[in-house]
Amino acid sequence: RELNRMLVRLSNMLHYTSRKDWGAVTVAEELEWMKDYFYIMEARFESKFTVHFGIAPELLDTPVPRLLFQPFVENAILHGFEQMEEGGRIEVTGEIKDGTRVLVVSDNGRGMSRETIQRILYAESASIGIKNTISRIRLAYGDEYGIDIESAVGQGTRVIITLPHFSNQSPPFQK
């Protein structure tokens, strides 16, 4: 029974990531993919962490680039919780502030130094997934939107994703 659930979740994830169109998806679709991803990762890491969602309902139908959260939650699990046996916590939240969508991925992991944050955001050899996400956001919405990372060693990490909020909900890229 558990194996069957896992196979269904893996199949859902594969279908989502292999769709031919790479245009916008809704926040709700992205969250469904994330739930499948977390299910698999929680099984892999034997309940090392828990996940909590707090997305404002008015954001659920808004468009976002596909796999928006993935590189950040993967980093939290693989690096942030690396030295933890249990008690890891990831929160994915979102709200509208001053006409901007603010989506946050936070964790209570080991955190990182300012130098590490700078390397992740600006160095050539840093995380390809994060670089790709930043590029897709800027290409779709402009340079004033993107990613910010707040962290301190021993105090966890917050990744803040800022996107414009369109009143008519039409994205600047095709679906």
mmCIF file of all heavy atoms in Angstrom, residues 24-42:
data_model
loop_
_atom_site.group_PDB
_atom_site.id
_atom_site.type_symbol
_atom_site.label_atom_id
_atom_site.label_comp_id
_atom_site.label_asym_id
_atom_site.label_seq_id
_atom_site.Cartn_x
_atom_site.Cartn_y
_atom_site.Cartn_z
ATOM 1 N N ALA A 24 3.737 29.397 -17.319
ATOM 2 C CA ALA A 24 3.314 29.539 -15.935
ATOM 3 C C ALA A 24 2.401 28.400 -15.504
ATOM 4 O O ALA A 24 1.679 27.816 -16.303
ATOM 5 C CB ALA A 24 2.592 30.867 -15.758
ATOM 6 N N VAL A 25 2.457 28.108 -14.215
ATOM 7 C CA VAL A 25 1.510 27.226 -13.553
ATOM 8 C C VAL A 25 0.903 28.053 -12.426
ATOM 9 O O VAL A 25 1.388 29.138 -12.124
ATOM 10 C CB VAL A 25 2.208 25.960 -12.984
ATOM 11 C CG1 VAL A 25 2.770 25.109 -14.106
ATOM 12 C CG2 VAL A 25 3.284 26.321 -11.980
ATOM 13 N N THR A 26 -0.138 27.556 -11.808
ATOM 14 C CA THR A 26 -0.698 28.298 -10.679
ATOM 15 C C THR A 26 0.041 27.915 -9.393
ATOM 16 O O THR A 26 0.679 26.859 -9.319
ATOM 17 C CB THR A 26 -2.204 28.010 -10.498
ATOM 18 O OG1 THR A 26 -2.359 26.630 -10.146
ATOM 19 C CG2 THR A 26 -2.993 28.340 -11.766
ATOM 20 N N VAL A 27 -0.078 28.763 -8.406
ATOM 21 C CA VAL A 27 0.501 28.451 -7.100
ATOM 22 C C VAL A 27 -0.098 27.140 -6.585
ATOM 23 O O VAL A 27 0.612 26.298 -6.030
ATOM 24 C CB VAL A 27 0.280 29.609 -6.093
ATOM 25 C CG1 VAL A 27 0.664 29.193 -4.688
ATOM 26 C CG2 VAL A 27 1.062 30.847 -6.525
ATOM 27 N N ALA A 28 -1.388 26.926 -6.806
ATOM 28 C CA ALA A 28 -2.037 25.682 -6.366
ATOM 29 C C ALA A 28 -1.393 24.461 -7.026
ATOM 30 O O ALA A 28 -1.149 23.450 -6.353
ATOM 31 C CB ALA A 28 -3.534 25.723 -6.677
ATOM 32 N N GLU A 29 -1.110 24.534 -8.329
ATOM 33 C CA GLU A 29 -0.442 23.420 -9.009
ATOM 34 C C GLU A 29 0.957 23.192 -8.447
ATOM 35 O O GLU A 29 1.390 22.050 -8.251
ATOM 36 C CB GLU A 29 -0.334 23.695 -10.515
ATOM 37 C CG GLU A 29 -1.640 23.628 -11.262
ATOM 38 C CD GLU A 29 -1.468 24.040 -12.717
ATOM 39 O OE1 GLU A 29 -1.071 25.204 -12.970
ATOM 40 O OE2 GLU A 29 -1.726 23.192 -13.595
ATOM 41 N N GLU A 30 1.659 24.274 -8.197
ATOM 42 C CA GLU A 30 3.008 24.181 -7.648
ATOM 43 C C GLU A 30 2.969 23.540 -6.249
ATOM 44 O O GLU A 30 3.818 22.713 -5.916
ATOM 45 C CB GLU A 30 3.632 25.576 -7.598
ATOM 46 C CG GLU A 30 5.086 25.604 -7.269
ATOM 47 C CD GLU A 30 6.014 25.061 -8.349
ATOM 48 O OE1 GLU A 30 5.568 24.673 -9.435
ATOM 49 O OE2 GLU A 30 7.220 25.006 -8.074
ATOM 50 N N LEU A 31 1.972 23.891 -5.459
ATOM 51 C CA LEU A 31 1.849 23.309 -4.116
ATOM 52 C C LEU A 31 1.530 21.821 -4.183
ATOM 53 O O LEU A 31 2.029 21.043 -3.365
ATOM 54 C CB LEU A 31 0.791 24.049 -3.304
ATOM 55 C CG LEU A 31 1.157 25.458 -2.873
ATOM 56 C CD1 LEU A 31 0.004 26.096 -2.110
ATOM 57 C CD2 LEU A 31 2.422 25.481 -2.045
ATOM 58 N N GLU A 32 0.719 21.409 -5.141
ATOM 59 C CA GLU A 32 0.428 19.982 -5.296
ATOM 60 C C GLU A 32 1.698 19.213 -5.627
ATOM 61 O O GLU A 32 1.938 18.132 -5.094
ATOM 62 C CB GLU A 32 -0.640 19.749 -6.373
ATOM 63 C CG GLU A 32 -2.038 20.043 -5.912
ATOM 64 C CD GLU A 32 -2.425 19.291 -4.643
ATOM 65 O OE1 GLU A 32 -2.275 18.049 -4.598
ATOM 66 O OE2 GLU A 32 -2.871 19.948 -3.677
ATOM 67 N N TRP A 33 2.526 19.770 -6.518
ATOM 68 C CA TRP A 33 3.801 19.123 -6.837
ATOM 69 C C TRP A 33 4.666 19.052 -5.581
ATOM 70 O O TRP A 33 5.292 18.036 -5.296
ATOM 71 C CB TRP A 33 4.540 19.876 -7.952
ATOM 72 C CG TRP A 33 5.793 19.168 -8.356
ATOM 73 C CD1 TRP A 33 5.902 18.195 -9.293
ATOM 74 C CD2 TRP A 33 7.099 19.348 -7.800
ATOM 75 N NE1 TRP A 33 7.205 17.759 -9.359
ATOM 76 C CE2 TRP A 33 7.967 18.447 -8.453
ATOM 77 C CE3 TRP A 33 7.636 20.170 -6.816
ATOM 78 C CZ2 TRP A 33 9.322 18.352 -8.166
ATOM 79 C CZ3 TRP A 33 8.989 20.073 -6.524
ATOM 80 C CH2 TRP A 33 9.814 19.175 -7.199
ATOM 81 N N MET A 34 4.678 20.153 -4.802
ATOM 82 C CA MET A 34 5.489 20.199 -3.587
ATOM 83 C C MET A 34 5.039 19.142 -2.579
ATOM 84 O O MET A 34 5.867 18.519 -1.917
ATOM 85 C CB MET A 34 5.393 21.582 -2.928
ATOM 86 C CG MET A 34 6.052 22.687 -3.713
ATOM 87 S SD MET A 34 7.810 22.472 -3.833
ATOM 88 C CE MET A 34 8.239 22.536 -2.124
ATOM 89 N N LYS A 35 3.751 18.924 -2.461
ATOM 90 C CA LYS A 35 3.251 17.913 -1.516
ATOM 91 C C LYS A 35 3.743 16.520 -1.914
ATOM 92 O O LYS A 35 4.132 15.723 -1.045
ATOM 93 C CB LYS A 35 1.732 17.979 -1.425
ATOM 94 C CG LYS A 35 1.264 19.221 -0.678
ATOM 95 C CD LYS A 35 -0.234 19.376 -0.709
ATOM 96 C CE LYS A 35 -0.629 20.693 -0.044
ATOM 97 N NZ LYS A 35 -2.063 20.965 -0.143
ATOM 98 N N ASP A 36 3.738 16.230 -3.205
ATOM 99 C CA ASP A 36 4.279 14.946 -3.678
ATOM 100 C C ASP A 36 5.777 14.865 -3.388
ATOM 101 O O ASP A 36 6.283 13.841 -2.925
ATOM 102 C CB ASP A 36 4.030 14.761 -5.177
ATOM 103 C CG ASP A 36 2.569 14.515 -5.511
ATOM 104 O OD1 ASP A 36 1.811 14.051 -4.630
ATOM 105 O OD2 ASP A 36 2.185 14.772 -6.661
ATOM 106 N N TYR A 37 6.494 15.943 -3.660
ATOM 107 C CA TYR A 37 7.938 16.000 -3.425
ATOM 108 C C TYR A 37 8.252 15.764 -1.945
ATOM 109 O O TYR A 37 9.111 14.957 -1.593
ATOM 110 C CB TYR A 37 8.474 17.358 -3.893
ATOM 111 C CG TYR A 37 9.947 17.558 -3.647
ATOM 112 C CD1 TYR A 37 10.888 17.038 -4.523
ATOM 113 C CD2 TYR A 37 10.397 18.273 -2.539
ATOM 114 C CE1 TYR A 37 12.256 17.227 -4.289
ATOM 115 C CE2 TYR A 37 11.744 18.460 -2.308
ATOM 116 C CZ TYR A 37 12.672 17.932 -3.184
ATOM 117 O OH TYR A 37 14.006 18.115 -2.950
ATOM 118 N N PHE A 38 7.520 16.467 -1.065
ATOM 119 C CA PHE A 38 7.763 16.316 0.364
ATOM 120 C C PHE A 38 7.428 14.903 0.843
ATOM 121 O O PHE A 38 8.105 14.363 1.710
ATOM 122 C CB PHE A 38 6.975 17.351 1.176
ATOM 123 C CG PHE A 38 7.584 18.713 1.141
ATOM 124 C CD1 PHE A 38 6.813 19.827 0.847
ATOM 125 C CD2 PHE A 38 8.923 18.914 1.434
ATOM 126 C CE1 PHE A 38 7.367 21.101 0.832
ATOM 127 C CE2 PHE A 38 9.493 20.181 1.423
ATOM 128 C CZ PHE A 38 8.702 21.268 1.121
ATOM 129 N N TYR A 39 6.404 14.307 0.292
ATOM 130 C CA TYR A 39 6.040 12.938 0.664
ATOM 131 C C TYR A 39 7.202 11.986 0.402
ATOM 132 O O TYR A 39 7.572 11.179 1.261
ATOM 133 C CB TYR A 39 4.799 12.514 -0.130
ATOM 134 C CG TYR A 39 4.292 11.150 0.238
ATOM 135 C CD1 TYR A 39 3.409 10.980 1.297
ATOM 136 C CD2 TYR A 39 4.692 10.020 -0.478
ATOM 137 C CE1 TYR A 39 2.943 9.723 1.640
ATOM 138 C CE2 TYR A 39 4.230 8.761 -0.146
ATOM 139 C CZ TYR A 39 3.352 8.621 0.912
ATOM 140 O OH TYR A 39 2.896 7.376 1.249
ATOM 141 N N ILE A 40 7.796 12.110 -0.784
ATOM 142 C CA ILE A 40 8.922 11.258 -1.157
ATOM 143 C C ILE A 40 10.136 11.559 -0.268
ATOM 144 O O ILE A 40 10.798 10.651 0.237
ATOM 145 C CB ILE A 40 9.296 11.456 -2.645
ATOM 146 C CG1 ILE A 40 8.117 11.076 -3.558
ATOM 147 C CG2 ILE A 40 10.561 10.696 -3.011
ATOM 148 C CD1 ILE A 40 7.652 9.659 -3.438
ATOM 149 N N MET A 41 10.429 12.838 -0.060
ATOM 150 C CA MET A 41 11.600 13.209 0.742
ATOM 151 C C MET A 41 11.425 12.828 2.220
ATOM 152 O O MET A 41 12.389 12.426 2.868
ATOM 153 C CB MET A 41 11.899 14.703 0.602
ATOM 154 C CG MET A 41 12.318 15.101 -0.808
ATOM 155 S SD MET A 41 13.732 14.170 -1.430
ATOM 156 C CE MET A 41 15.045 15.266 -0.982
ATOM 157 N N GLU A 42 10.219 12.949 2.745
ATOM 158 C CA GLU A 42 9.985 12.539 4.131
ATOM 159 C C GLU A 42 10.192 11.036 4.285
ATOM 160 O O GLU A 42 10.738 10.576 5.289
ATOM 161 C CB GLU A 42 8.580 12.943 4.585
ATOM 162 C CG GLU A 42 8.461 14.424 4.881
ATOM 163 C CD GLU A 42 7.037 14.873 5.174
ATOM 164 O OE1 GLU A 42 6.080 14.231 4.685
ATOM 165 O OE2 GLU A 42 6.884 15.872 5.884
#
